[in-house]
Amino acid sequence: MIADVEVATLARAWGIAKPTHVLANVATTIAMKKPAAGLDGLIVGETAISTLDHGLHLRGFAIEDLVRQATYSEVAYLLLHGELPTHEQLADFRAILAEAAEVPPAILQLLEELPLHVAPMDALRTAISALAHFDEQPNETDDTASLGKAIRLLGQVPVLIAARQRLTRGLELIDSDPELSFAGNLLSLLTGRVPTARDERALDQSLICYADLEFNTSTFTARIVASTGSDLHSAVTAAVGALKGPLHGGANEDVLDVLLAVDSPARADKFVRDAIAKKRRLAGFGHRVYRDRPDPRAVVLKDICRELATTDEQHRLEEIAAAIEAAMWLHKQLRPNVDWPIARLYRMLGFDAELFTPLFVIARVAGWSAHVLEQQRDNRLIAPRANYTGPPPRTFVPLRER
Ligand code: CMC
């Protein structure tokens, strides 16, 4: 118990008028004595968008049901609007998305002129930031403006990725086709071919899996930026930067290296033992939250990969993946995360590894935007403290005396 007199003393020391704020600060200070490394397990806010309790639910719907029965457009609508769309609402949403897919010529020129060595993920981050300059409401942060920006970005990001991909290969740009589904159009923009129903559905299912995940690192980044009163493009640009890292979304690009380094299922056990002995982290395994239970996205996508595999090479990769999974469980009790099967799925669809994380961005724009909107609706600046570990106060010595 903290006596009233102590609260009054603390209030004076911290220059705080309200006792409730004093108590909140006391609780924070006590908690800070043992800060969890990486904020592990810390509840840092509230959300009605998604939860990792009991698997993964988006607005109350189990991810497995969404993957098997919904389309990415329905899920994006669900995240942004809170409810599943009716037929009519979905048709309107798709029409608005198709209209929003227009990208200013100056951005296409920028994507063409960025040096060739710039990776697709970096080019995408730059292009999203630059898009803000051409937006009709660049600095407005009210609900209607942010929702409009979110929908525009959702339509534009696939165009950005496809444009960079094709421009750097000297290929003609493909126009968006409003008659195609979100995933079908994305495939067409990238490949210039009419997508098969199988590829379209598999890509759509991967996007649903990537659409949102509670307070993951990039989403939290977006919320922090939004909490300062900044705009949606700034929040999403920062989130792209956070997602790029190999411990987060960037891991999906590294998964293929792991799979291809093991050329037969029989070599998986030794490969894993060696990696663990060298304290090497294998991309596609482990998760901050899904530790004592499987990542439900990895489970459902593993089945989808098996359904998709047709060639000998694809079947072989499935077998190698299963052998690595078994060894990781045996030697380190680590399970695969979403990126483990998704890398195989994207390879089966014919994508280069450097496109894997940009594809993650396409899907997560819906989740990030929903979180930015939620943050803006009930905002308080996110501004935590740190447990100071530096030197105690000391006397400053002027330069001439040092
Ligand atoms: N391979 C080998 N060992 C691992 C791995 C891994 N992928 N992940 C964790 N470990 C080990 C870690 O070295 C530690 O071992 P020890 O106790 O012997 O020191 C133990 O497992 C516990 O790890 P941790 O540091 O407490 O785990 P964390 O919660 O900080 O890390 C993680 C979570 C995702 C960063 C980590 O599992 C990792 O680096 N995985 C590889 C990268 C990856 O696949 N990231 C994608 C995550 S899911 C998609 C997304 O949302 O971004």
Side-chain angles (χ1 to χ4, degrees), residues 121-122 210 217 239-255 257-258 281-287 337 339-340 357 360:
M121 190 63 177
D122 293 322
Y210 270 154
T217 315
V240 173
L243 189 78
K244 174 189 153 179
L247 297 183
H248 193 4
N252 66 4
E253 298 188 8
D254 299 334
V255 164
D257 294 340
V258 175
R281 286 181 179 232
L282 293 192
F285 283 89
H287 196 276
N337 60 49
D339 292 329
W340 184 243
T357 321
F360 193 158

mmCIF file of all heavy atoms in Angstrom, residues 121-122 210 217 239-255 257-258 281-287 337 339-340 357 360:
data_model
loop_
_atom_site.group_PDB
_atom_site.id
_atom_site.type_symbol
_atom_site.label_atom_id
_atom_site.label_comp_id
_atom_site.label_asym_id
_atom_site.label_seq_id
_atom_site.Cartn_x
_atom_site.Cartn_y
_atom_site.Cartn_z
ATOM 1 N N MET A 121 11.880 -4.425 -51.460
ATOM 2 C CA MET A 121 11.289 -3.968 -50.198
ATOM 3 C C MET A 121 11.691 -2.516 -49.907
ATOM 4 O O MET A 121 10.890 -1.723 -49.416
ATOM 5 C CB MET A 121 11.759 -4.919 -49.089
ATOM 6 C CG MET A 121 11.079 -4.762 -47.769
ATOM 7 S SD MET A 121 9.317 -5.116 -47.827
ATOM 8 C CE MET A 121 8.938 -4.893 -46.089
ATOM 9 N N ASP A 122 12.934 -2.160 -50.222
ATOM 10 C CA ASP A 122 13.396 -0.787 -49.986
ATOM 11 C C ASP A 122 12.739 0.178 -50.966
ATOM 12 O O ASP A 122 12.343 1.288 -50.596
ATOM 13 C CB ASP A 122 14.925 -0.711 -50.114
ATOM 14 C CG ASP A 122 15.611 -1.488 -49.006
ATOM 15 O OD1 ASP A 122 15.115 -1.464 -47.866
ATOM 16 O OD2 ASP A 122 16.627 -2.143 -49.277
ATOM 17 N N TYR A 210 -1.487 -13.325 -43.791
ATOM 18 C CA TYR A 210 -0.593 -12.211 -43.438
ATOM 19 C C TYR A 210 -1.349 -10.935 -43.042
ATOM 20 O O TYR A 210 -0.705 -9.948 -42.657
ATOM 21 C CB TYR A 210 0.285 -11.875 -44.646
ATOM 22 C CG TYR A 210 1.605 -12.623 -44.747
ATOM 23 C CD1 TYR A 210 2.214 -12.828 -45.981
ATOM 24 C CD2 TYR A 210 2.275 -13.070 -43.616
ATOM 25 C CE1 TYR A 210 3.438 -13.473 -46.090
ATOM 26 C CE2 TYR A 210 3.505 -13.722 -43.720
ATOM 27 C CZ TYR A 210 4.080 -13.919 -44.947
ATOM 28 O OH TYR A 210 5.298 -14.544 -45.055
ATOM 29 N N THR A 217 5.299 -6.452 -34.153
ATOM 30 C CA THR A 217 6.237 -5.319 -34.114
ATOM 31 C C THR A 217 5.911 -4.214 -35.120
ATOM 32 O O THR A 217 5.930 -3.031 -34.767
ATOM 33 C CB THR A 217 7.671 -5.832 -34.349
ATOM 34 O OG1 THR A 217 7.866 -7.001 -33.553
ATOM 35 C CG2 THR A 217 8.691 -4.785 -33.961
ATOM 36 N N ALA A 239 6.092 1.230 -40.657
ATOM 37 C CA ALA A 239 5.779 -0.190 -40.471
ATOM 38 C C ALA A 239 6.504 -1.055 -41.503
ATOM 39 O O ALA A 239 6.981 -2.148 -41.187
ATOM 40 C CB ALA A 239 4.268 -0.409 -40.558
ATOM 41 N N VAL A 240 6.603 -0.551 -42.733
ATOM 42 C CA VAL A 240 7.319 -1.310 -43.776
ATOM 43 C C VAL A 240 8.776 -1.478 -43.341
ATOM 44 O O VAL A 240 9.366 -2.560 -43.473
ATOM 45 C CB VAL A 240 7.237 -0.599 -45.152
ATOM 46 C CG1 VAL A 240 8.123 -1.294 -46.180
ATOM 47 C CG2 VAL A 240 5.801 -0.569 -45.645
ATOM 48 N N GLY A 241 9.359 -0.392 -42.803
ATOM 49 C CA GLY A 241 10.743 -0.474 -42.323
ATOM 50 C C GLY A 241 10.885 -1.512 -41.228
ATOM 51 O O GLY A 241 11.875 -2.262 -41.190
ATOM 52 N N ALA A 242 9.906 -1.590 -40.347
ATOM 53 C CA ALA A 242 9.969 -2.578 -39.251
ATOM 54 C C ALA A 242 9.784 -3.998 -39.793
ATOM 55 O O ALA A 242 10.437 -4.943 -39.348
ATOM 56 C CB ALA A 242 8.894 -2.268 -38.209
ATOM 57 N N LEU A 243 8.896 -4.141 -40.755
ATOM 58 C CA LEU A 243 8.605 -5.486 -41.271
ATOM 59 C C LEU A 243 9.799 -6.090 -42.006
ATOM 60 O O LEU A 243 9.989 -7.302 -42.037
ATOM 61 C CB LEU A 243 7.404 -5.433 -42.226
ATOM 62 C CG LEU A 243 6.876 -6.795 -42.661
ATOM 63 C CD1 LEU A 243 6.020 -7.410 -41.558
ATOM 64 C CD2 LEU A 243 6.065 -6.720 -43.942
ATOM 65 N N LYS A 244 10.599 -5.212 -42.597
ATOM 66 C CA LYS A 244 11.706 -5.672 -43.442
ATOM 67 C C LYS A 244 12.736 -6.533 -42.694
ATOM 68 O O LYS A 244 13.370 -7.407 -43.277
ATOM 69 C CB LYS A 244 12.389 -4.422 -44.026
ATOM 70 C CG LYS A 244 13.632 -4.681 -44.795
ATOM 71 C CD LYS A 244 14.331 -3.367 -45.131
ATOM 72 C CE LYS A 244 15.810 -3.605 -45.299
ATOM 73 N NZ LYS A 244 16.560 -2.411 -45.644
ATOM 74 N N GLY A 245 12.903 -6.308 -41.404
ATOM 75 C CA GLY A 245 13.953 -6.995 -40.649
ATOM 76 C C GLY A 245 13.830 -8.512 -40.685
ATOM 77 O O GLY A 245 12.720 -9.055 -40.718
ATOM 78 N N PRO A 246 14.959 -9.222 -40.678
ATOM 79 C CA PRO A 246 14.927 -10.690 -40.790
ATOM 80 C C PRO A 246 14.311 -11.415 -39.590
ATOM 81 O O PRO A 246 13.979 -12.588 -39.703
ATOM 82 C CB PRO A 246 16.407 -11.066 -40.941
ATOM 83 C CG PRO A 246 17.169 -9.910 -40.403
ATOM 84 C CD PRO A 246 16.333 -8.692 -40.649
ATOM 85 N N LEU A 247 14.141 -10.718 -38.469
ATOM 86 C CA LEU A 247 13.455 -11.378 -37.353
ATOM 87 C C LEU A 247 11.938 -11.263 -37.498
ATOM 88 O O LEU A 247 11.181 -11.938 -36.812
ATOM 89 C CB LEU A 247 13.881 -10.756 -36.011
ATOM 90 C CG LEU A 247 15.355 -10.903 -35.648
ATOM 91 C CD1 LEU A 247 15.627 -10.317 -34.274
ATOM 92 C CD2 LEU A 247 15.802 -12.363 -35.696
ATOM 93 N N HIS A 248 11.502 -10.364 -38.372
ATOM 94 C CA HIS A 248 10.057 -10.144 -38.574
ATOM 95 C C HIS A 248 9.723 -10.612 -39.995
ATOM 96 O O HIS A 248 10.057 -11.735 -40.371
ATOM 97 C CB HIS A 248 9.786 -8.658 -38.322
ATOM 98 C CG HIS A 248 8.343 -8.265 -38.165
ATOM 99 N ND1 HIS A 248 7.308 -9.152 -38.152
ATOM 100 C CD2 HIS A 248 7.768 -7.024 -38.012
ATOM 101 C CE1 HIS A 248 6.163 -8.495 -37.998
ATOM 102 N NE2 HIS A 248 6.413 -7.201 -37.914
ATOM 103 N N GLY A 249 9.109 -9.772 -40.792
ATOM 104 C CA GLY A 249 8.644 -10.210 -42.120
ATOM 105 C C GLY A 249 9.759 -10.631 -43.063
ATOM 106 O O GLY A 249 9.549 -11.482 -43.935
ATOM 107 N N GLY A 250 10.941 -10.032 -42.885
ATOM 108 C CA GLY A 250 12.060 -10.355 -43.778
ATOM 109 C C GLY A 250 12.451 -11.820 -43.723
ATOM 110 O O GLY A 250 13.136 -12.321 -44.624
ATOM 111 N N ALA A 251 11.995 -12.514 -42.673
ATOM 112 C CA ALA A 251 12.350 -13.939 -42.534
ATOM 113 C C ALA A 251 11.851 -14.766 -43.711
ATOM 114 O O ALA A 251 12.483 -15.753 -44.087
ATOM 115 C CB ALA A 251 11.779 -14.495 -41.228
ATOM 116 N N ASN A 252 10.715 -14.362 -44.307
ATOM 117 C CA ASN A 252 10.180 -15.238 -45.368
ATOM 118 C C ASN A 252 11.128 -15.336 -46.573
ATOM 119 O O ASN A 252 11.130 -16.331 -47.282
ATOM 120 C CB ASN A 252 8.741 -14.864 -45.760
ATOM 121 C CG ASN A 252 8.606 -13.500 -46.417
ATOM 122 O OD1 ASN A 252 9.590 -12.820 -46.665
ATOM 123 N ND2 ASN A 252 7.366 -13.112 -46.687
ATOM 124 N N GLU A 253 11.963 -14.284 -46.759
ATOM 125 C CA GLU A 253 12.909 -14.340 -47.882
ATOM 126 C C GLU A 253 14.076 -15.291 -47.573
ATOM 127 O O GLU A 253 14.704 -15.824 -48.479
ATOM 128 C CB GLU A 253 13.441 -12.938 -48.199
ATOM 129 C CG GLU A 253 12.306 -12.008 -48.620
ATOM 130 C CD GLU A 253 12.763 -10.656 -49.147
ATOM 131 O OE1 GLU A 253 13.977 -10.457 -49.337
ATOM 132 O OE2 GLU A 253 11.883 -9.808 -49.369
ATOM 133 N N ASP A 254 14.364 -15.467 -46.272
ATOM 134 C CA ASP A 254 15.502 -16.321 -45.886
ATOM 135 C C ASP A 254 15.137 -17.810 -45.797
ATOM 136 O O ASP A 254 16.017 -18.655 -45.742
ATOM 137 C CB ASP A 254 16.051 -15.876 -44.519
ATOM 138 C CG ASP A 254 16.551 -14.433 -44.565
ATOM 139 O OD1 ASP A 254 16.932 -13.987 -45.661
ATOM 140 O OD2 ASP A 254 16.543 -13.761 -43.518
ATOM 141 N N VAL A 255 13.838 -18.090 -45.764
ATOM 142 C CA VAL A 255 13.413 -19.484 -45.582
ATOM 143 C C VAL A 255 13.908 -20.376 -46.726
ATOM 144 O O VAL A 255 14.359 -21.502 -46.497
ATOM 145 C CB VAL A 255 11.867 -19.564 -45.451
ATOM 146 C CG1 VAL A 255 11.377 -20.983 -45.655
ATOM 147 C CG2 VAL A 255 11.422 -19.041 -44.090
ATOM 148 N N ASP A 257 16.592 -20.178 -48.390
ATOM 149 C CA ASP A 257 18.011 -20.525 -48.210
ATOM 150 C C ASP A 257 18.132 -21.757 -47.319
ATOM 151 O O ASP A 257 18.968 -22.635 -47.545
ATOM 152 C CB ASP A 257 18.783 -19.368 -47.544
ATOM 153 C CG ASP A 257 18.843 -18.151 -48.448
ATOM 154 O OD1 ASP A 257 18.653 -18.329 -49.658
ATOM 155 O OD2 ASP A 257 19.065 -17.043 -47.925
ATOM 156 N N VAL A 258 17.301 -21.786 -46.280
ATOM 157 C CA VAL A 258 17.336 -22.931 -45.350
ATOM 158 C C VAL A 258 16.913 -24.197 -46.091
ATOM 159 O O VAL A 258 17.602 -25.221 -46.058
ATOM 160 C CB VAL A 258 16.393 -22.681 -44.143
ATOM 161 C CG1 VAL A 258 16.333 -23.901 -43.236
ATOM 162 C CG2 VAL A 258 16.832 -21.441 -43.368
ATOM 163 N N ARG A 281 19.997 -18.983 -36.001
ATOM 164 C CA ARG A 281 18.534 -19.001 -36.034
ATOM 165 C C ARG A 281 18.055 -19.393 -37.423
ATOM 166 O O ARG A 281 18.485 -18.807 -38.412
ATOM 167 C CB ARG A 281 17.973 -17.632 -35.670
ATOM 168 C CG ARG A 281 18.112 -17.367 -34.191
ATOM 169 C CD ARG A 281 17.560 -16.039 -33.793
ATOM 170 N NE ARG A 281 17.736 -15.900 -32.350
ATOM 171 C CZ ARG A 281 16.777 -15.590 -31.511
ATOM 172 N NH1 ARG A 281 15.561 -15.352 -31.947
ATOM 173 N NH2 ARG A 281 17.010 -15.491 -30.229
ATOM 174 N N LEU A 282 17.191 -20.377 -37.488
ATOM 175 C CA LEU A 282 16.659 -20.787 -38.781
ATOM 176 C C LEU A 282 15.396 -20.003 -39.073
ATOM 177 O O LEU A 282 14.432 -20.044 -38.295
ATOM 178 C CB LEU A 282 16.347 -22.285 -38.783
ATOM 179 C CG LEU A 282 17.538 -23.236 -38.677
ATOM 180 C CD1 LEU A 282 17.104 -24.662 -38.984
ATOM 181 C CD2 LEU A 282 18.669 -22.831 -39.635
ATOM 182 N N ALA A 283 15.411 -19.273 -40.195
ATOM 183 C CA ALA A 283 14.242 -18.480 -40.590
ATOM 184 C C ALA A 283 13.038 -19.402 -40.736
ATOM 185 O O ALA A 283 13.155 -20.520 -41.237
ATOM 186 C CB ALA A 283 14.532 -17.776 -41.905
ATOM 187 N N GLY A 284 11.881 -18.919 -40.266
ATOM 188 C CA GLY A 284 10.653 -19.697 -40.393
ATOM 189 C C GLY A 284 10.327 -20.526 -39.162
ATOM 190 O O GLY A 284 9.311 -21.226 -39.136
ATOM 191 N N PHE A 285 11.199 -20.434 -38.136
ATOM 192 C CA PHE A 285 10.913 -21.171 -36.889
ATOM 193 C C PHE A 285 10.892 -20.214 -35.701
ATOM 194 O O PHE A 285 11.617 -19.220 -35.683
ATOM 195 C CB PHE A 285 11.962 -22.258 -36.651
ATOM 196 C CG PHE A 285 11.725 -23.454 -37.519
ATOM 197 C CD1 PHE A 285 12.296 -23.522 -38.775
ATOM 198 C CD2 PHE A 285 10.881 -24.478 -37.105
ATOM 199 C CE1 PHE A 285 12.050 -24.596 -39.613
ATOM 200 C CE2 PHE A 285 10.622 -25.563 -37.933
ATOM 201 C CZ PHE A 285 11.218 -25.619 -39.183
ATOM 202 N N GLY A 286 10.070 -20.566 -34.715
ATOM 203 C CA GLY A 286 9.995 -19.779 -33.494
ATOM 204 C C GLY A 286 9.027 -18.617 -33.660
ATOM 205 O O GLY A 286 8.737 -18.166 -34.779
ATOM 206 N N HIS A 287 8.495 -18.177 -32.564
ATOM 207 C CA HIS A 287 7.576 -17.042 -32.579
ATOM 208 C C HIS A 287 7.494 -16.471 -31.177
ATOM 209 O O HIS A 287 7.521 -17.227 -30.205
ATOM 210 C CB HIS A 287 6.173 -17.485 -33.040
ATOM 211 C CG HIS A 287 5.311 -16.342 -33.441
ATOM 212 N ND1 HIS A 287 4.586 -15.615 -32.523
ATOM 213 C CD2 HIS A 287 5.079 -15.794 -34.652
ATOM 214 C CE1 HIS A 287 3.933 -14.660 -33.172
ATOM 215 N NE2 HIS A 287 4.216 -14.746 -34.455
ATOM 216 N N ASN A 337 6.758 -21.120 -38.026
ATOM 217 C CA ASN A 337 5.812 -20.001 -38.044
ATOM 218 C C ASN A 337 5.271 -19.831 -39.468
ATOM 219 O O ASN A 337 5.626 -20.584 -40.373
ATOM 220 C CB ASN A 337 6.479 -18.719 -37.509
ATOM 221 C CG ASN A 337 7.695 -18.307 -38.327
ATOM 222 O OD1 ASN A 337 7.632 -18.244 -39.546
ATOM 223 N ND2 ASN A 337 8.814 -18.029 -37.643
ATOM 224 N N ASP A 339 5.918 -18.051 -41.918
ATOM 225 C CA ASP A 339 6.831 -17.868 -43.047
ATOM 226 C C ASP A 339 7.378 -19.177 -43.600
ATOM 227 O O ASP A 339 7.818 -19.229 -44.756
ATOM 228 C CB ASP A 339 8.007 -16.970 -42.631
ATOM 229 C CG ASP A 339 7.551 -15.553 -42.377
ATOM 230 O OD1 ASP A 339 6.594 -15.123 -43.035
ATOM 231 O OD2 ASP A 339 8.136 -14.883 -41.510
ATOM 232 N N TRP A 340 7.363 -20.215 -42.786
ATOM 233 C CA TRP A 340 7.923 -21.509 -43.212
ATOM 234 C C TRP A 340 7.159 -22.063 -44.412
ATOM 235 O O TRP A 340 7.746 -22.285 -45.477
ATOM 236 C CB TRP A 340 7.943 -22.449 -42.007
ATOM 237 C CG TRP A 340 8.583 -23.776 -42.250
ATOM 238 C CD1 TRP A 340 7.980 -24.985 -42.186
ATOM 239 C CD2 TRP A 340 9.964 -24.023 -42.593
ATOM 240 N NE1 TRP A 340 8.877 -25.982 -42.473
ATOM 241 C CE2 TRP A 340 10.107 -25.415 -42.724
ATOM 242 C CE3 TRP A 340 11.069 -23.212 -42.809
ATOM 243 C CZ2 TRP A 340 11.309 -26.016 -43.052
ATOM 244 C CZ3 TRP A 340 12.276 -23.810 -43.146
ATOM 245 C CH2 TRP A 340 12.387 -25.187 -43.259
ATOM 246 N N THR A 357 8.727 -10.597 -49.070
ATOM 247 C CA THR A 357 8.349 -9.638 -48.018
ATOM 248 C C THR A 357 7.454 -8.521 -48.578
ATOM 249 O O THR A 357 6.492 -8.119 -47.912
ATOM 250 C CB THR A 357 9.581 -9.079 -47.278
ATOM 251 O OG1 THR A 357 10.523 -10.131 -47.098
ATOM 252 C CG2 THR A 357 9.207 -8.531 -45.916
ATOM 253 N N PHE A 360 4.059 -9.698 -48.380
ATOM 254 C CA PHE A 360 3.601 -9.601 -46.986
ATOM 255 C C PHE A 360 3.047 -8.185 -46.743
ATOM 256 O O PHE A 360 1.987 -8.001 -46.126
ATOM 257 C CB PHE A 360 4.806 -9.902 -46.073
ATOM 258 C CG PHE A 360 4.523 -10.150 -44.621
ATOM 259 C CD1 PHE A 360 5.456 -10.866 -43.850
ATOM 260 C CD2 PHE A 360 3.396 -9.692 -43.986
ATOM 261 C CE1 PHE A 360 5.248 -11.103 -42.501
ATOM 262 C CE2 PHE A 360 3.174 -9.918 -42.624
ATOM 263 C CZ PHE A 360 4.102 -10.608 -41.885
#
